[in-house]
Amino acid sequence: MHCSGYFNKIGIMNLFDSHVHLDYEPLANEVGQVVEKAYKVGVTRMINVGASLRGSGRSVELAEQYPNIWAALGLHPHEAEAAPNLDLSLEKIKGLARSDKVVAIGEIGLDYFKDQVLISRQEKKLQKELFWAQLKLALELDLPVVFHVREAWDDFFEIISEDEFKDIRGVIHCFTGDEKIAREALKHNLLIGFTGFVTFAQSKFDHIRAAVKTVSLERILIETDAPFLAPEPYRGKPNEPAYVVEVARKIASLKGVEVAEVAEKTTNNTKKLFNI
Ligand SMILES: [Zn+2]
Ligand SMILES: [Zn+2]
C-alpha cells in the first residue's frame, strides 16, 4: 500500500542515497530521526560510507541496526599519513567485511587537495600505496569500489588502467570532473555519483552540470555525502539523506526528464552496482 494519500508526488518514489556519513556529527546523535525523515520523503535506502577504520566500524554497526542502510568500508586518501600500519588496518577491514551488509570498499582513492593546498610528493606516494592496497582488497573480497578522486585524475586513471584492476567495478562519488573526465570514467565502465554540487548556482559548477548531461541516466548514482555539501535550498546547513531529492530534481531538469525516472533509474543502478 503506497497510495494512502499521505505521500506527496516525490514521496511515492524510491530514492537511494548512495553515499552518506551518518557516523559524523551532527547526524550521529540523531540517526533514528534522520533515517525516518528521509524515509518519509521517499529516500528509502542509503549506503553509509566509511572513511577511516573507526568510521568503517560504525558503518557496519549502523547497517546491522537499520534494514535500509548498507555499509562501505575503507580508508580515505587523507588517512594515508595517519595509517602507519597498513597491513593491520586491512586485516581489520577484512574482518568487518564478514558482515552481510557490507557491499563495497570505499571511500578510497586519491585526493591531492588538503587543507586548501596541494599535497607534497611524499604524501601523494603514500596515498597511491594506500589506494593500491585497497584496490587489491576489493578484488580479493570481490566487492565494488566507492572512489573518491580530487585533483588527481591522471594518477587515478593510470592506476585503474593497470591490468590487474581492469575488472574493478565502482562509482566515482561526488564527481567534480568535466565532460572529458566523465567520458574517460565511462570508458573504464565506472558509474558517476553526483552530489548537491549540481544545484549550486555559480558558474564554477557548470562543468559538473555539463558532465550530468553527457552521462546517460543508466550510469548515474545520486548522493548527498551528508553531512557535507547540502544542496540548494539548504546550502550551508548540515546535509542529510532526505535532501537527495534536490539532487534528483536538478538532474531531472538538466536532462529534461521526470524526476520519477531519475529516481527509478538511479535506484536500480545503485542496487545493481552494489548487488542489493
Ligand atoms: Zn569523498
Ligand atoms: Zn564521503
Side-chain angles (χ1 to χ4, degrees):
M1 280 294 290
H2 58 259
C3 301
S4 62
Y6 169 79
F7 292 106
N8 59 24
K9 200 160 178 256
I10 296 287
I12 59 171
M13 296 185 307
N14 285 314
L15 291 139
F16 201 140
D17 187 346
S18 62
H19 194 113
V20 301
H21 300 281
L22 299 185
D23 50 304
Y24 284 31
E25 301 295 338
L27 304 177
N29 296 324
E30 44 190 42
V31 172
Q33 289 123 283
V34 168
V35 170
E36 196 184 322
K37 183 175 163 193
Y39 205 91
K40 280 183 177 165
V41 297
V43 185
T44 52
R45 299 178 182 89
M46 54 195 87
I47 295 176
N48 201 82
V49 179
S52 61
L53 258 191
R54 192 167 167 271
S56 296
R58 265 310 277 157
S59 278
V60 173
E61 284 169 16
L62 288 165
E64 300 209 325
Q65 190 180 351
Y66 293 91
N68 61 332
I69 297 180
W70 288 264
L73 310 177
L75 303 174
H76 187 284
H78 285 172
E79 293 286 308
E81 275 193 317
N85 195 332
L86 183 55
D87 290 342
L88 184 65
S89 301
L90 296 181
E91 276 311 309
K92 285 187 178 161
I93 289 176
K94 237 196 258 187
L96 289 169
R98 280 196 286 268
S99 162
D100 287 345
K101 296 294 290 291
V102 171
V103 295
I105 294 299
E107 53 185 296
I108 67 171
L110 301 173
D111 188 333
Y112 292 170
F113 199 70
K114 192 175 166 189
D115 303 325
Q116 309 303 317
V117 290
L118 288 170
I119 62 172
S120 67
R121 186 187 297 200
Q122 174 57 20
E123 198 175 347
K124 285 184 187 175
K125 189 167 167 271
L126 287 174
Q127 285 196 11
K128 285 185 201 170
E129 283 165 10
L130 179 63
F131 182 35
W132 196 80
Q134 292 183 99
L135 283 173
K136 301 258 283 188
L137 181 64
L139 279 179
E140 184 187 331
L141 298 174
D142 194 22
L143 288 171
V145 174
V146 178
F147 294 105
H148 171 108
V149 187
R150 199 171 172 211
E151 304 287 335
W153 295 108
D154 289 347
D155 287 353
F156 170 72
F157 284 121
E158 190 181 316
I159 290 174
I160 61 158
S161 300
E162 286 177 27
D163 216 35
E164 75 179 297
F165 300 136
K166 69 178 187 308
D167 294 328
I168 291 259
R169 298 163 300 126
V171 56
I172 300 178
H173 108 90
C174 192
F175 190 73
T176 52
D178 59 12
E179 291 166 89
K180 190 165 164 269
I181 294 167
R183 277 195 292 272
E184 182 74 19
L186 296 178
K187 262 193 250 162
H188 286 276
N189 264 324
L190 300 176
L191 288 101
I192 314 258
F194 290 105
T195 56
F197 276 144
V198 299
T199 70
F200 293 177
Q202 293 105 312
S203 58
K204 68 175 177 180
F205 300 101
D206 284 349
H207 68 286
I208 306 177
R209 282 183 278 274
V212 170
K213 291 184 188 172
T214 300
V215 180
S216 95
L217 262 185
E218 276 66 32
R219 309 293 293 277
I220 289 177
L221 307 191
I222 53 172
E223 58 169 297
T224 53
D225 205 11
F228 313 107
L229 292 178
E232 292 291 0
Y234 308 104
R235 191 171 176 186
K237 294 184 183 157
N239 199 359
E240 52 179 298
Y243 300 162
V244 84
V245 172
E246 304 304 330
V247 179
R249 276 202 181 110
K250 186 66 191 184
I251 289 174
S253 94
L254 288 168
K255 289 197 161 293
V257 299
E258 292 293 323
V259 65
E261 186 182 343
V262 174
E264 189 191 337
K265 289 200 169 145
T266 55
T267 294
N268 287 342
N269 298 341
T270 312
K271 287 167 77 176
K272 198 170 151 201
L273 174 63
F274 297 113
N275 202 12
I276 289 169

